Amino acid sequence: MTQNKTLIEAIRIVVVVLIALAIGFVITALVSKEPVAAYTALLTGPLPKISFENGFAITNINRFGNWMEESTTLILLGLAVAIVFKARQFSLGAEGQMLLGALATAVIALKLALPFPWHMILALAAAMAIGFLWGLLPGLLKAYLAVDEIVSTLMFNVIALQLFDLLLFNWLRDPTAGFVGTVPFPDSAVLPLAISGTRVSWMIFIMLAAVVIVWFLMERTPFGFELKMLGANRKFAEYGGINTKRVIALSMAVSGILAGLAGAHLSMGLLKRLTINLSPGLGFEGIVVALLARNDPRWVLVAGLFYGYLRTGAQIMERSSDVTREVVLIIQAIIILLITAEQLFPRFQQWWGARRNNEAAMERG
Amino acid sequence: MSFEVVLQSIFSAAFIATVIRVSTPLILPAMGGLISELGGAINIALEGVMLAAAFTGVIVSGFAPQWFPGAPEWVYALTGGVAGVLVGMAMGWMIAFFHLELKTDIILTGLAMNILAAGGTVFLMFSLTGDKGSTSTLDSAQLPAVQIPFVNTIPILGTLLNGENGAGYNIMSYIAFVLVAVIWVFLYRMPSGVHLRATGEMPEAAQSVGIDIRRTRYWALVASGFCAALGGLYLSMGYLSIFQANMTAGRGFIALAVVYLGNRNPIGTLIAALIFGTASALGTRLGTMAIPPQFVEMIPPVVTIAALVIYNIRRRARINAAARRFQEQAEAARP
Amino acid sequence: MSAFVEMKQISKVYPNGVVANKHVDFAVEKGEIHALVGENGAGKSTLMKILYGLEQPTHGEIWLRGQRVEIANPHRAIDLGIGMVHQNFMLVPSFTIAENIVLGSEPRKGRFLDRAQAIAITETLSKSYGLQVDPAARIESTPVGMRQRVEILKTLYRGADLLILDEPTAVLTPQETDELFLAVRKLVDQGKTVIFITHKLVEVKEISDRVTVMRHGEVTGRVATADVSEADIARMMVGRAVFLQIDKPPVRRGRVVAEVRNLGYVAETGRPMVRNVSFDVYAGEILGVAGVEGNGQTELVEVMTGLRPATTGEIRIDGKPVQGQSARRIRLSGVAHIPEDRLTNGVALDASIAENLAVDRYNRPPFTRQGILSPRAIQTQAVALMQQFDIRAAGSAAPMRSLSGGNMQKVIVAREFSAEPALLIAAQPTRGVDIGATEFVHTQLVAKRNEGKAVLLVSADLAEVMSLADRIAVMYKGEIVGILENGPHLTEEEIGLYMLGLKRDEGARGEGRGARGEGRRELSRPSRKFQPSRKIMQRRSQHR
Ligand SMILES: Nc1ncnc2c1ncn2[C@@H]1O[C@H](COP(=O)(O)OP(=O)(O)O)[C@@H](O)[C@H]1O
Ligand SMILES: [Mg+2]
């Protein structure tokens, strides 16, 4: 029976994604002269081309690389969101944690001189630590003072953004650069490449490890059990003896670690420096990944790859057609709306089921 | 630069004029946030509504001359404004529809609206103007400023009432303040406003006397979209006269916090919005004096969090005090 | 003559599958005070919510003044002259009394509220029905008695001819109850009809003309109040044979397991809910806690289990003080707890049965070893417990939501019993579960007692307490007013006096009288009571 439910759920998610893609296509067709070409670019662009004409050759590896880069960030953010959502905490703090994570790497990278790999490791650790802290603070406020986490995390995001700008403008900025940004990080603080010809760095391994660790944390540790019970029914968790305040605070803090890592990926892996306006709104994109994955870390990997694929495809589409990449944001919004619309598909089903249940219940008496 | 100069420039009529300009796009969406919050349906999508309305206003007023050539300028501005407001209300309606009919989580629905607005505006802007950054190529209309006559000759009063350049504040600034008053009257003096507050505070009670909770929340969200749309329109058709990608820059989220900081009533919300506006204006002003503006801009969010913390600490203290009284009584009663 | 209100063959199945009403026939004559009685969960509120349009019946029809009516929502009910005062007050805390009374149909001056008129209306209504209120006071700062008067005025303002009062006395002091009764009589004198829900039998006799009795969603009796005694009504309400069959060997009281001394608790509202409570629970006995609901039983249990902090006093389990400790610490000291409100904190509906069965022990071997959780161990335990406690479900991975109320309760019982506690606290352990599960729970509780565990049984069902407990502590207004030795000599009337606050033992504040002196006593089964009398049976069959 539960097997059956999981299957229905999976089908539902696939149907939602297909509907969203279809709506995306209609919208594209409305504005584009060549909608089919544009959509083809969106849907197949990120695939590397394998040709056998002059022997075996893979071209467009950089597109594949873009896909992996995007997905790495998104999966880290998706994991961050999955943890808090699993505990049913509406923390929206990933944006701020990500910014501060990137900021911390810049401080370590530019203000300390250390040999590789210690420099890199220290920078990563700093990003995780600040993310942890920036999640812990609103977590403690929620747990012990009942401060609404939506408002507080949004405010912590504002503070984080101001801190970011403050340090960037006044301390880290390279005055000779034509834009607001730092000098490039020293090589000792840059993540080494994993695939040459791309920007895919060791972060992809860290990300994979994070998926495994978060899965393990959720499914194979007492903390994961506590997280699940807290999310299922807080009063029940308390009744069972779980210290829910601790779990609330920790869930938000642990989530921050992953968002901090996502920030480190932007600075140490992709840009290799810090710039102003570091990807605004990206912190919210973990939400769609976590929703698609139903907060399951294994599915976060799949959903992140899928959504990263779409985003990369959109960039390729933007370069090769008259449609901008923002169409994926529209698709994303539709996915969120439809996935959370519990009443959409089951309406008929439920009506039918309720009738049968009523009759059965009356007979049972 | 001396301290006095700083003080002087802060406590000047020109500074107050700046505060009003900067606060307007917070007051308007905050009023929207307040209405839906009081109705028991939190609207996270203020940001997205502002963005969508700002965009619609510019695009429609920019293209209006092609549709009705030769009409006076104010017709284009009005068309743009009305279109923006309608888009905002439609977004409010959509949130209500998804939340109330399809039982989505209202927060996730709101976030989806924000994403839709962020993506949709840039997507359409590029399709319509070929630019992804701003609509600077489009000649869009501006909402008029309202100049109060005769006061410009009076030195300080002139600046205070008509802004630094004496041209008057944008009509949206006036609307913002009037809206606060209107909403106050509505919430506390009109039956439907009272029903709205009852719905948010105690839905069962409202329902038991025949108030239609679903309908109340529907139009609370639509009204919320209306107010937030005004805020967005001000940004692109008053404060500036172009649309820029992500030009709301988090104001919708701040407006939400403003509602909480303002203790969920119109007057408090107005004051809270002015606090945020002052900090922002101060930040800009200090920035020109080599004091990092970010310090100042950090104050309102810190104040908001502090306010929430203090509120909860005080609540707890009240409970503890009651417990202590009881304890003393119990000790006294015991032989 | 045809009845003023007639509900015919009403059935109600809630979306979660609970059958709250089963083929209920209910009729009220014009101008009468009609009592609707039954245990908690009998379906009284549901029936009245249907009449008031808050719930829709799954089957059945409603007739009013001789005409078939559809009551789709409360608005319609108000139009039809029906008013309801709910069990939980439906008042907006930050609004004034006048605002609450006119809410939904405010007097207007143009498009605006006429606030002066609202106050005038309130004052007039208040005078003409003798229901004293302060129109300008905010609800959040008014006492409960006044809130109730506001609720009644609210219905009168809307022109109600028929007033439904859902357990109006549950929250009132005796004086307030007297005042309420006066007001209700006045209402009837002025031509109103009143449906009065209660489970206090004294009140039924005192106030009502006729009475309808419900049990487990069905009507079990409909009589003129004058024709029956309280005991007759009680029989119709409780009327179960199962509890007679509990075979209890004589009590063999062992060591003191739980000592509670001068315990006090103040709720967040500032109201003291538990006052200076002291008692002991011994190994090998069931200590029953009886009392009208809302007299501090809930809070007492939650304080003892660490879900709320004690304000004053001490609790010791096996000699070790535990007050102020976390729920987990208290569980580790050997306390298990069957909570009174299963759905609030007894289960997590979205978690699996296996997870529900492990919530108190997941962090210990065999479930967690060296910090690693073993889902398999959780699974294994669940399979074993489901078999042992006869939990019927699709499997241990099935979500809790898919279980019936009785099986949910068995999951809770399985978890709490398998924790091997020294003290088992069972709060309303059979509320809303079917007869089979009730019997099961009762047998299990007695078995635990026989094994030498200490059991604290809190129940609003007096029959349950009397048939299971060895001693009975009665709570009234947060205090324990008496601790009585159970036995054939103890009558329901005697306990009733304590429950109503009419009698109290000063000694009860210290320790239960006789608890120390008489080490062992033979208790026979209380077989006399609650055998449905022939008279009632006949009447019931006439009604069918
Ligand atoms: N809204 C609801 N959803 C599901 N079950 C309910 C609901 N309200 C009441 N019930 C269940 O229906 C049964 C009857 O409840 P109720 O009518 O409140 O009884 P009473 O008023 O006689 O105590 C109980 O088992 C209760 O748990
Ligand atoms: Mg009831």
Side-chain angles (χ1 to χ4, degrees):
Chain A
M1 193 196 101
T2 33
Q3 282 296 312
N4 201 359
K5 272 222 170 104
T6 319
L7 185 66
I8 292 175
E9 191 56 32
I11 293 172
R12 203 173 83 93
I13 289 173
V14 171
V15 170
V16 161
V17 167
L18 291 178
I19 292 177
L21 287 173
I23 296 177
F25 179 72
V26 171
I27 293 170
T28 309
L30 288 180
V31 302
S32 173
K33 291 191 195 68
E34 24 161 29
V36 176
Y39 232 60
T40 310
L42 173 74
L43 295 180
T44 63
L47 294 177
K49 301 222 164 27
I50 301 172
S51 69
F52 296 96
E53 283 157 26
N54 318 328
F56 178 74
I58 301 178
T59 50
N60 279 347
I61 186 77
N62 60 327
R63 293 183 171 184
F64 176 78
N66 284 345
W67 174 20
M68 289 301 122
E69 293 154 14
E70 285 282 349
S71 299
T72 301
T73 317
L74 288 169
I75 290 166
L76 288 170
L77 290 169
L79 290 173
V81 174
I83 290 173
V84 278
F85 276 17
K86 188 98 182 175
R88 219 168 265 195
Q89 303 300 308
F90 264 116
S91 167
L92 303 177
E95 179 94 359
Q97 292 150 0
M98 188 181 74
L99 277 179
L100 290 189
L103 180 67
T105 62
V107 172
I108 302 288
L110 301 174
K111 299 294 168 184
L112 283 180
L114 282 172
F116 182 86
W118 306 115
H119 205 181
M120 174 194 79
I121 290 173
L122 191 64
L124 284 174
M128 294 197 284
I130 194 80
F132 180 88
L133 185 71
W134 218 244
L136 185 65
L137 283 174
L140 290 172
L141 292 180
K142 165 78 188 279
Y144 292 94
L145 292 170
V147 173
D148 184 78
E149 75 272 25
I150 299 175
V151 178
S152 71
T153 50
L154 287 174
M155 289 300 100
F156 274 100
N157 285 351
V158 176
I159 299 172
L161 180 65
Q162 298 299 340
L163 274 176
F164 184 91
D165 284 356
L166 182 71
L167 294 198
L168 180 59
F169 275 95
N170 297 294
W171 190 35
L172 300 171
R173 179 179 187 178
D174 172 16
T176 61
F179 55 94
V180 182
T182 65
V183 294
F185 289 1
D187 283 344
S188 57
V190 168
L191 289 161
L193 277 188
I195 305 176
S196 60
T198 69
R199 293 186 300 171
V200 179
S201 63
W202 283 11
M203 193 53 106
I204 196 167
F205 305 124
I206 298 176
M207 176 275 284
L208 288 172
V211 170
V212 175
I213 291 169
V214 171
W215 176 83
F216 189 84
L217 190 73
M218 279 188 180
E219 300 297 329
R220 290 289 183 274
T221 66
F223 177 71
F225 189 88
E226 291 168 353
L227 206 66
K228 218 185 285 180
M229 291 304 120
L230 170 65
N233 178 350
R234 178 171 179 183
K235 287 231 163 90
F236 173 68
E238 267 158 21
Y239 154 89
I242 292 169
N243 183 348
T244 54
K245 295 182 174 176
R246 184 176 144 268
V247 182
I248 289 173
L250 270 183
S251 69
M252 287 168 71
V254 171
S255 160
I257 295 181
L258 293 152
L261 271 180
H265 183 225
L266 296 184
S267 60
M268 295 165 66
L270 302 183
L271 302 171
K272 302 180 180 68
R273 56 152 51 102
L274 207 60
T275 60
I276 196 168
N277 287 339
L278 195 81
S279 220
L282 186 64
F284 290 108
E285 310 238 338
I287 291 170
V288 74
V289 176
L291 280 178
L292 278 171
R294 293 272 137 175
N295 305 331
D296 182 332
R298 293 167 298 184
W299 288 103
V300 165
L301 184 66
V302 178
L305 283 172
F306 162 73
Y307 191 60
Y309 184 90
L310 269 192
R311 277 176 62 104
T312 313
Q315 284 160 25
I316 294 162
M317 172 181 73
E318 178 173 278
R319 286 200 296 272
S320 65
S321 78
D322 58 350
V323 182
T324 57
R325 68 173 97 158
E326 274 72 19
V327 75
V328 291
L329 291 180
I330 299 172
I331 294 173
Q332 179 189 354
I334 296 169
I335 290 177
I336 295 179
L337 286 176
L338 296 186
I339 275 200
T340 54
E342 284 154 21
Q343 295 294 315
L344 195 59
F345 299 106
R347 256 205 177 158
F348 174 77
Q349 219 176 334
Q350 225 172 26
W351 171 79
W352 183 244
R355 264 183 45 148
R356 277 209 318 238
N357 282 349
N358 285 352
E359 278 155 24
M362 289 299 299
E363 273 159 32
R364 253 187 282 121
Chain B
M1 201 167 294
S2 81
F3 189 60
E4 280 145 63
V5 180
V6 177
L7 280 186
Q8 246 173 34
S9 86
I10 290 172
F11 294 102
S12 66
F15 181 70
I16 292 172
T18 313
V19 168
I20 288 173
R21 277 211 321 272
V22 177
S23 302
T24 301
L26 292 178
I27 297 170
L28 289 165
M31 287 301 128
L34 178 70
I35 289 183
S36 57
E37 173 73 23
L38 286 180
I42 187 170
N43 186 359
I44 293 274
L46 297 172
E47 175 88 359
V49 171
M50 286 176 80
L51 203 57
F55 173 72
T56 310
V58 164
I59 290 295
V60 171
S61 73
F63 281 98
Q66 299 176 19
W67 302 329
F68 340 104
E73 182 71 10
W74 65 265
V75 172
Y76 304 140
L78 189 68
T79 330
V82 168
V85 161
L86 287 178
V87 163
M89 288 164 73
M91 286 175 77
W93 184 86
M94 266 175 77
I95 298 171
F97 176 79
F98 273 92
H99 174 56
L100 298 170
E101 308 291 345
L102 300 179
K103 307 283 177 244
T104 57
D105 183 287
I106 194 165
I107 292 163
L108 294 175
T109 309
L111 287 171
M113 286 295 159
N114 287 336
I115 294 167
L116 189 65
T121 49
V122 175
F123 179 79
L124 289 174
M125 177 160 60
F126 181 74
S127 308
L128 295 171
T129 70
D131 192 338
K132 281 190 70 172
S134 75
T135 58
S136 50
T137 54
L138 193 69
D139 187 17
S140 61
Q142 219 175 352
L143 295 166
V146 178
Q147 192 190 36
I148 295 181
F150 312 124
V151 296
N152 275 354
T153 48
I154 312 169
I156 293 176
L157 200 65
T159 317
L160 209 55
L161 293 182
N162 278 336
E164 298 103 311
N165 55 10
Y169 295 109
N170 190 273
I171 187 166
M172 279 296 175
S173 294
Y174 286 99
I175 291 181
F177 283 89
V178 171
L179 196 64
V180 174
V182 167
I183 286 179
W184 187 89
V185 170
F186 168 74
L187 288 174
Y188 299 101
R189 290 290 179 267
M190 288 173 75
S192 35
V194 171
H195 297 178
L196 176 83
R197 287 191 294 133
T199 302
E201 186 172 339
M202 188 87 186
E204 304 89 344
Q207 192 188 11
S208 77
V209 295
I211 295 170
D212 189 337
I213 295 181
R214 174 187 299 249
R215 216 174 61 198
T216 308
R217 293 203 168 139
Y218 249 107
W219 66 250
L221 283 164
V222 171
S224 178
F226 172 85
C227 297
L230 292 182
L233 286 170
Y234 171 76
L235 284 178
S236 67
M237 298 179 71
Y239 195 74
L240 300 177
S241 58
I242 54 167
F243 176 82
Q244 295 170 331
N246 191 31
M247 79 183 302
T248 46
R251 284 184 181 84
F253 290 128
I254 289 177
L256 202 66
V258 160
V259 175
Y260 284 85
L261 180 60
N263 205 15
R264 312 198 330 149
N265 72 61
I267 309 296
T269 303
L270 172 66
I271 293 169
L274 289 171
I275 291 175
F276 269 87
T278 307
S280 182
L282 206 56
T284 321
R285 187 133 306 203
L286 293 178
T288 61
M289 297 171 198
I291 298 173
Q294 292 88 2
F295 272 129
V296 187
E297 299 233 21
M298 244 180 258
I299 294 171
V302 171
V303 167
T304 304
I305 293 170
L308 291 175
V309 168
I310 290 166
Y311 172 80
N312 286 294
I313 288 178
R314 278 186 26 201
R315 195 175 56 99
R316 187 154 305 187
R318 262 204 317 278
I319 295 166
N320 287 343
R324 220 169 16 252
R325 273 199 305 281
F326 172 76
Q327 199 160 1
E328 280 156 13
Q329 282 165 11
E331 308 258 278
R334 206 166 297 153
Chain C
M1 93 185 193
S2 92
F4 183 54
V5 178
E6 239 189 308
M7 300 178 77
K8 294 182 181 171
Q9 290 293 306
I10 299 286
S11 294
K12 173 69 186 178
V13 185
Y14 279 112
N16 61 0
V18 173
V19 183
N21 289 154
K22 252 184 283 178
H23 307 298
V24 170
D25 287 323
F26 178 71
V28 179
E29 307 290 333
K30 177 134 189 75
E32 71 169 342
I33 302 178
H34 193 112
L36 178 59
V37 299
E39 291 183 288
N40 273 302
K44 309 177 296 283
S45 296
T46 302
L47 187 67
M48 290 301 110
K49 283 181 188 164
I50 290 172
L51 182 55
Y52 191 60
L54 277 172
E55 298 285 353
Q56 294 309 309
T58 317
H59 293 291
E61 3 185 288
I62 302 173
W63 293 66
L64 189 73
R65 301 184 187 91
Q67 290 196 326
R68 171 98 194 261
V69 288
E70 296 286 342
I71 306 178
N73 52 46
H75 213 96
R76 178 83 183 116
I78 292 168
D79 288 346
L80 290 169
I82 303 173
M84 179 160 177
V85 175
H86 298 270
Q87 199 166 355
N88 326 316
F89 292 150
M90 300 280 191
L91 299 170
V92 186
S94 74
F95 285 21
T96 65
I97 285 181
E99 283 171 338
N100 267 289
I101 285 177
V102 300
L103 182 66
S105 8
E106 294 84 355
R108 297 170 191 223
K109 218 164 26 186
R111 320 180 104 253
F112 296 95
L113 287 174
D114 190 341
R115 301 199 306 154
Q117 180 67 14
I119 289 177
I121 289 172
T122 305
E123 277 167 349
T124 318
L125 274 175
S126 162
K127 277 214 195 73
S128 58
Y129 291 99
L131 292 160
Q132 182 69 45
V133 295
D134 171 7
R138 284 186 198 288
I139 289 295
E140 56 201 356
S141 59
T142 55
V144 179
M146 191 179 289
R147 292 186 196 188
Q148 182 154 60
R149 295 196 285 276
V150 174
E151 285 279 28
I152 296 175
L153 288 173
K154 241 171 91 177
T155 64
L156 294 171
Y157 168 67
R158 288 166 174 73
D161 295 326
L162 171 68
L163 272 87
I164 305 164
L165 307 181
D166 193 352
E167 302 209 17
T169 57
V171 290
L172 298 186
T173 64
Q175 292 86 344
E176 285 172 329
T177 305
D178 289 343
E179 283 172 32
L180 174 72
F181 282 3
L182 275 177
V184 167
R185 291 213 181 83
K186 206 160 173 180
L187 289 171
V188 174
D189 289 345
Q190 302 196 17
K192 311 279 182 197
T193 306
V194 176
I195 300 174
F196 196 98
I197 302 180
T198 181
H199 51 219
K200 297 183 200 171
L201 304 179
V202 200
E203 293 177 353
V204 176
K205 283 299 278 182
E206 190 179 339
I207 192 86
S208 72
D209 302 314
R210 292 200 308 148
V211 51
T212 298
V213 186
M214 288 185 73
R215 183 173 73 230
H216 292 312
E218 290 176 287
V219 171
T220 53
R222 202 175 318 127
V223 291
T225 313
D227 295 352
V228 287
S229 69
E230 284 175 35
D232 293 331
I233 302 173
R235 250 172 247 125
M236 292 189 269
M237 257 170 78
V238 181
R240 62 166 79 114
V242 270
F243 88 103
L244 293 174
Q245 284 147 21
I246 295 163
D247 243 329
K248 271 194 332 183
V251 63
R252 289 171 44 198
R253 192 170 284 153
R255 65 181 203 287
V256 179
V257 174
E259 295 166 78
V260 174
R261 288 294 174 272
N262 307 115
L263 197 67
Y265 170 73
V266 183
E268 296 212 342
T269 55
R271 255 176 50 159
M273 301 305 294
V274 176
R275 302 164 188 258
N276 205 20
V277 161
S278 300
F279 61 86
D280 291 337
V281 194
Y282 293 84
E285 75 159 353
I286 297 179
L287 175 63
V289 176
V292 176
E293 246 182 297
N295 275 287
Q297 298 96 317
T298 307
E299 291 79 7
L300 173 65
V301 168
E302 296 195 357
V303 167
M304 285 186 72
T305 51
L307 296 176
R308 296 170 191 250
T311 310
T312 58
E314 276 181 72
I315 307 165
R316 277 191 290 275
I317 303 295
D318 277 331
K320 286 191 294 283
V322 298
Q323 78 274 12
Q325 294 192 350
S326 66
R328 167 159 301 162
R329 273 291 184 71
I330 291 178
R331 278 182 174 276
L332 288 177
S333 325
V335 179
H337 173 202
I338 298 173
E340 73 171 42
D341 188 350
R342 205 172 33 247
L343 295 181
T344 304
N345 53 13
V347 298
L349 290 175
D350 293 325
S352 70
I353 296 172
E355 287 163 340
N356 270 276
L357 283 167
V359 73
D360 61 330
R361 60 198 68 163
Y362 63 91
N363 58 345
R364 301 197 293 266
F367 309 104
T368 297
R369 287 204 167 97
Q370 275 109 43
I372 295 173
L373 186 82
S374 160
R376 181 164 311 156
I378 291 177
Q379 193 76 12
T380 310
Q381 157 179 283
V383 171
L385 286 179
M386 284 173 73
Q387 178 156 26
Q388 189 186 336
F389 286 83
D390 189 28
I391 298 163
R392 311 225 172 116
S396 65
M400 204 63 186
R401 190 179 288 289
S402 62
L403 297 195
S404 69
N407 276 304
M408 267 186 210
Q409 190 70 344
K410 283 186 186 172
V411 170
I412 296 173
V413 168
R415 179 181 62 224
E416 300 305 313
F417 280 26
S418 61
E420 291 302 331
L423 171 68
L424 176 70
I425 300 179
Q428 322 289 0
T430 58
R431 169 170 295 172
V433 305
D434 55 53
I435 307 258
T438 299
E439 200 168 0
F440 175 83
V441 170
H442 285 173
T443 325
Q444 292 290 325
L445 284 173
V446 173
K448 279 288 157 195
R449 158 197 182 262
N450 296 345
E451 276 171 34
K453 312 287 188 203
V455 178
L456 184 69
L457 167 68
V458 181
S459 177
D461 182 347
L462 195 50
E464 181 170 86
V465 176
M466 290 185 74
S467 61
L468 290 174
D470 298 303
R471 290 186 298 143
I472 299 176
V474 188
M475 279 193 91
Y476 176 70
K477 292 200 158 185
E479 285 180 297
I480 290 195
V481 289
I483 300 184
L484 313 167
E485 202 69 33
N486 197 5
H489 63 278
L490 186 65
T491 61
E492 189 178 82
E493 286 70 29
E494 172 86 357
I495 298 183
L497 291 176
Y498 286 92
M499 280 171 61
L500 297 168
L502 297 174
K503 191 171 172 190
R504 66 185 297 153
D505 299 341
E506 283 313 312
R509 300 176 130 237
E511 214 324 76
R513 58 163 198 193
R516 287 199 186 93
E518 313 154 63
R520 292 175 189 188
R521 271 195 68 202
E522 190 137 338
L523 296 176
S524 63
R525 289 185 273 141
S527 51
R528 272 179 305 108
K529 289 165 294 183
F530 296 115
Q531 213 137 44
S533 77
R534 186 151 298 145
K535 201 167 126 203
I536 300 272
M537 298 295 274
Q538 279 167 354
R539 216 173 264 129
R540 228 193 290 171
S541 52
Q542 280 165 11
H543 272 292
R544 283 277 151 88

